[in-house]
């Protein structure tokens, strides 16, 4: 069989040092792969390419379908886009897998017994980066959560649990506030959970859920989160294991995957040869499992565990062991790789040896087709800008504006809170007013021209400017928008 070709990006800062060390260990363990090197990151950015990646690099990743990537430095300012976000979204790497495992007492941590895998949705949520200045006072960022996105990530989480013998998945969301977006995320999670009765499924609201996760991580097995919460949670968990230098990660799509450490390029340590290559090496272990070389993954992981047990560590962990008065041998990046290579074939004696199953096959999601569902247009939110200190003034004007139309003003809200009719004088008001109109006759379905007509009438009013609209639908007979606070 032809060797698996893997695209390698050596990265910036400490990247080349830790990549060279990781590849040396994987090769010494007998990894049956060929490496194709690409240039991405700082050099490419500074050559004028604001995405940090050129055509040849894209071609190599698309052809090999596996990218092993060291951290890169994003130059500050100048409109440079995050290479990671670009790669994840362009190639559909929707699943961010981050295992957080403690290795106490060999790596000091306040959380011995922690063994949590976070699956973070990688493409959606506030990371769509759709932001607008709406009025001089008000900015907005759109949170996009889609049904296909939820189905893919939930399916991945359950398939991962099945493949790696995990027993429970906890979904963390804020669906008491974001009933539609986070509500969809957790709803789809439970829909998919029904197909995996052997895996326990539960959920927590993110705030108390995170508090519990940080207080007692040993009580959790796998955690599934939308993008933003997952971004915050995985850095916290990574550090809780003892060092960001040991936290690996994978970004996985249906056909392509990227493996990388969760940490950055640590530019202050670049060129000194002292960085910890463990996070990247362990990302390489995840890669070996996924490409079907589980024996190699096992061999490397167990040798790494033995190295850690023997107290052979880089400066980041040496500092911690010293503070605890433990014995250790401090080595540099290359010497650490040598120490792992020397122990290939050995297993840890105190920590649990790693066993990887041969056939880890993650099943692709078959997406539910919801595109033909019935959407009835029953109203519209017309967002306006206006310099008013009294909601009644703008409210009365907008009620009057609808008189000759088939629509009626139901309410106005300011920052989500209903302020008209019957607002409270104590409420702080901005220059941003959401005006909710429904069809005058309940049950009537509106047309687009009813909305443009209403917008045109509002545009003629003194001191009020239309900013944008959001349609109010019933989806298959159910309200498909949130009520205003106090509506
Ligand atoms: P960082 O992760 O590079 O460094 C944070 C801290 O952790 C520093 O004290 C650093 O010395 C230490 N550290 C990180 N990796 C280590 C290792 N392997 N061994 C020992 N110590 C290690 O984060 P930062 O300083 O915020 O970012 C530096 C650069 O990295 C920035 O340009 C940022 O954009 C980039 N970055 C890249 C990625 C990526 O490519 N995936 C991720 C995060 C940050």
């Amino acid at each position: 069989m032809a060797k698996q070709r893997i695209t390698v990006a050596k990265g910036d800062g400490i990247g080349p040092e830790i990549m060279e060390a990781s590849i040396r260990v994987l090769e010494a363990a007998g990894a049956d792969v060929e490496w194709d090197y690409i240039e991405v990151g700082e050099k490419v950015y500074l050559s004028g390419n604001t995405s940090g990646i050129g055509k040849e690099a894209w071609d190599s990743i698309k052809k090999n379908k596996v990218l092993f990537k060291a951290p890169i430095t994003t130059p500050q300012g100048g409109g440079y886009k995050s290479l990671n976000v670009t790669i994840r979204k362009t190639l559909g790497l929707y699943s961010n897998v981050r295992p957080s495992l403690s290795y106490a007492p060999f790596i000091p941590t306040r959380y011995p017994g922690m063994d949590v895998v976070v699956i973070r949705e990688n493409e959606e949520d506030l990371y769509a980066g759709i932001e607008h200045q709406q009025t001089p006072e008000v900015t907005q960022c759109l949170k996009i959560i889609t049904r296909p996105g939820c189905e893919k990530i939930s399916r991945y989480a359950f398939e991962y649990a099945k493949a790696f013998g995990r027993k429970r998945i906890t979904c963390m969301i804020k669906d008491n506030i974001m009933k539609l977006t986070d509500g969809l995320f957790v709803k789809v999670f439970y829909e998919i959970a029904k197909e995996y009765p052997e895996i326990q499924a539960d959920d927590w609201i993110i705030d108390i859920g995170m508090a519990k996760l940080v207080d007692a991580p040993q009580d959790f097995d796998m955690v599934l989160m939308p993008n933003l919460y997952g971004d915050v949670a995985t850095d916290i968990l990574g550090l809780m294991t003892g060092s960001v230098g040991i936290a690996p990660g994978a970004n996985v799509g249906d056909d392509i995957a990227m493996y990388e450490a969760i940490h950055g390029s640590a530019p202050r340590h670049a060129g000194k040869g002292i960085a910890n290559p463990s996070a990247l090496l362990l990302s390489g272990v995840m890669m070996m499992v996924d490409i079907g070389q589980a024996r190699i993954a096992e061999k490397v992981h167990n040798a790494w565990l033995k190295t850690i047990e023997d107290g052979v560590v880089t400066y980041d962990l040496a500092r911690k062991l010293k503070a605890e008065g433990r014995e250790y041998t401090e080595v540099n990046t290359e010497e650490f790789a040598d120490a792992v290579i020397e122990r290939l074939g050995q297993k840890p004696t105190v920590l649990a040896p790693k066993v990887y199953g041969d056939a880890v096959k993650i099943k692709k999601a078959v997406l539910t087709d919801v595109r033909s569902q019935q959407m009835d247009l029953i109203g519209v939110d017309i967002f306006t800008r206006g310099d008013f200190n009294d909601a009644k003034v703008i409210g009365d004007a907008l009620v009057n504006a609808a008189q000759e139309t088939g629509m009626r003003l139901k309410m106005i809200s300011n920052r989500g809170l209903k302020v008209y009719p019957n607002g409270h004088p104590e409420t702080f008001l901005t220059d941003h007013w959401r005006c909710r109109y429904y069809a005058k006759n309940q049950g009537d379905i509106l047309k687009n021209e009813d909305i443009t007509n209403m917008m045109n009438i509002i545009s003629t009013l003194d001191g009020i400017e239309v900013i944008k609209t959001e349609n109010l639908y019933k989806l298959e007979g159910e309200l498909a928008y949130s009520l205003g606070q106090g509506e």
Side-chain angles (χ1 to χ4, degrees):
M1 229 173 74
K3 282 193 181 202
Q4 166 83 45
R5 301 193 79 89
I6 291 175
T7 301
V8 177
K10 285 186 168 180
D12 304 313
I14 59 168
E17 301 156 35
I18 58 174
M19 181 57 88
E20 191 266 330
S22 300
I23 286 188
R24 214 151 52 75
V25 175
L26 292 171
E27 284 187 340
D32 193 19
V33 296
E34 300 237 20
W35 315 102
D36 290 333
Y37 290 88
I38 56 168
E39 187 74 63
V40 297
E42 205 172 16
K43 260 198 215 149
V44 182
Y45 281 122
L46 297 178
S47 75
N49 181 335
T50 53
S51 69
I53 177 166
K55 184 177 178 312
E56 272 180 32
W58 279 125
D59 289 346
S60 172
I61 301 168
K62 288 180 189 176
K63 184 163 129 289
N64 292 338
K65 303 196 184 309
V66 185
L67 170 62
F68 192 27
K69 177 181 155 296
I72 56 116
T73 302
T74 313
Q76 291 188 324
Y80 299 109
K81 301 212 178 65
S82 156
L83 179 61
N84 269 12
V85 176
T86 303
I87 293 180
R88 286 171 192 164
K89 292 198 70 165
T90 306
L91 302 177
L93 310 184
Y94 56 82
S95 185
N96 193 320
V97 186
R98 291 190 174 178
S100 291
L101 187 59
S102 39
Y103 303 96
F106 305 103
I107 296 180
T109 163
R110 273 175 277 165
Y111 305 92
M114 157 170 169
D115 179 3
V116 185
V117 175
V118 175
I119 305 281
R120 161 189 166 196
E121 199 290 321
N122 225 2
E123 292 186 290
E124 305 196 336
D125 198 352
L126 291 154
Y127 286 63
I130 306 174
E131 295 194 294
H132 296 97
Q133 183 86 38
Q134 300 234 310
T135 69
E137 286 185 341
V138 176
T139 56
Q140 177 197 261
C141 177
L142 283 186
K143 170 157 168 144
I144 309 248
I145 302 279
T146 70
R147 178 167 265 279
C150 293
E151 289 188 5
K152 285 200 281 186
I153 196 66
S154 271
R155 171 76 59 197
Y156 184 89
F158 282 99
E159 283 290 315
Y160 182 100
K162 210 167 98 177
F164 289 95
R166 299 255 164 191
K167 304 276 181 287
R168 176 176 154 227
I169 306 178
T170 305
C171 183
M172 291 200 192
I173 33 34
K174 188 80 184 171
D175 63 333
N176 54 334
I177 303 293
M178 284 159 281
K179 296 184 162 74
L180 245 64
T181 47
D182 283 18
L184 178 65
F185 194 88
V186 69
K187 180 175 164 216
V188 170
F189 168 72
Y190 282 118
E191 282 173 17
I192 306 254
K194 283 195 199 125
E195 296 176 42
Y196 300 84
E198 72 281 14
I199 295 158
Q200 196 191 329
D202 54 18
D203 71 279
W204 280 110
I205 300 288
I206 182 77
D207 35 300
I208 185 63
M210 260 324 279
K212 282 177 172 290
L213 185 55
V214 170
D215 183 51
Q218 70 281 1
D219 291 349
F220 290 83
D221 190 352
M222 280 179 68
V223 180
L224 172 66
M225 296 185 182
N227 206 343
L228 178 60
Y229 314 144
D231 194 3
V232 178
T234 47
D235 270 25
I236 295 172
L237 289 168
L239 207 55
M240 282 163 63
T241 62
S243 167
V244 289
I246 57 168
N251 296 268
V252 185
D254 283 337
D255 300 309
I256 303 181
M258 165 168 80
Y259 300 85
E260 61 173 357
I262 76 163
H263 62 72
S265 57
R268 274 184 305 148
H269 295 305
K272 297 184 192 160
I274 57 167
N276 189 346
S278 299
L280 189 63
L281 178 63
L282 295 177
S283 308
V285 167
M286 294 171 79
M287 176 173 78
M288 287 294 135
V289 175
D290 289 353
I291 65 169
Q293 299 190 24
R295 295 287 81 77
I296 306 294
E298 229 169 74
K299 202 166 159 186
V300 173
H301 206 153
N302 285 325
W304 181 84
L305 288 168
K306 183 77 174 79
T307 309
I308 294 296
E309 271 190 3
D310 290 346
V312 181
V313 291
T314 43
Y315 81 93
D316 51 322
L317 298 179
R319 253 191 333 218
K320 297 207 158 200
L321 290 165
K322 186 173 181 189
E324 293 220 332
R326 293 181 61 92
E327 285 194 9
Y328 62 91
T329 309
E330 183 173 337
V331 292
N332 65 26
T333 312
E334 276 191 40
E335 290 161 347
F336 184 82
D338 292 339
V340 178
I341 291 168
E342 271 167 32
R343 289 165 178 79
L344 286 168
Q346 297 182 35
K347 289 199 169 138
T349 48
V350 180
L351 296 167
K354 273 283 168 189
V355 181
Y356 289 109
D358 265 335
V360 176
K361 273 272 160 274
I362 301 280
K363 202 168 83 186
K364 279 190 200 180
V366 178
L367 301 177
T368 315
D369 183 0
V370 292
R371 290 186 182 186
S372 56
Q373 283 185 342
Q374 177 79 19
M375 297 267 286
D376 293 326
L377 184 62
I378 60 166
V380 63
D381 280 344
I382 300 182
F383 290 77
T384 62
R385 171 187 172 193
D387 183 10
F388 298 92
N389 295 318
D390 182 351
K392 193 165 176 329
V393 176
I394 179 170
D396 289 347
L398 289 169
V399 167
N400 279 337
Q403 281 204 350
E404 303 295 314
T405 72
M407 300 176 83
R408 67 187 165 91
L409 181 77
K410 171 78 191 310
M411 63 116 192
I412 299 177
S413 71
N414 199 297
R415 291 191 299 170
L417 178 74
K418 191 188 89 170
V419 294
Y420 179 90
N422 308 323
H424 296 265
E426 293 80 7
T427 304
F428 179 78
L429 299 171
T430 68
D431 55 357
H432 185 267
W433 311 84
R434 185 259 304 258
C435 313
R436 175 159 288 181
Y437 286 95
Y438 285 114
K440 213 166 251 171
N441 299 317
Q442 215 181 354
D444 277 5
I445 304 296
L446 296 173
K447 296 196 202 67
N448 273 344
E449 61 235 47
D450 297 321
I451 292 170
T452 45
N453 184 31
M454 195 65 241
M455 285 164 65
N456 286 337
I457 294 172
I458 293 175
S459 308
T460 63
L461 300 177
D462 268 352
I464 304 178
E465 185 184 338
V466 173
I467 302 167
K468 68 159 197 170
T469 63
E470 294 284 356
N471 290 350
L472 306 178
Y473 289 106
K474 279 189 171 176
L475 177 71
E476 299 279 313
E478 299 285 330
L479 287 192
Y481 52 90
S482 59
L483 294 180
Q485 290 155 350
E487 184 180 350

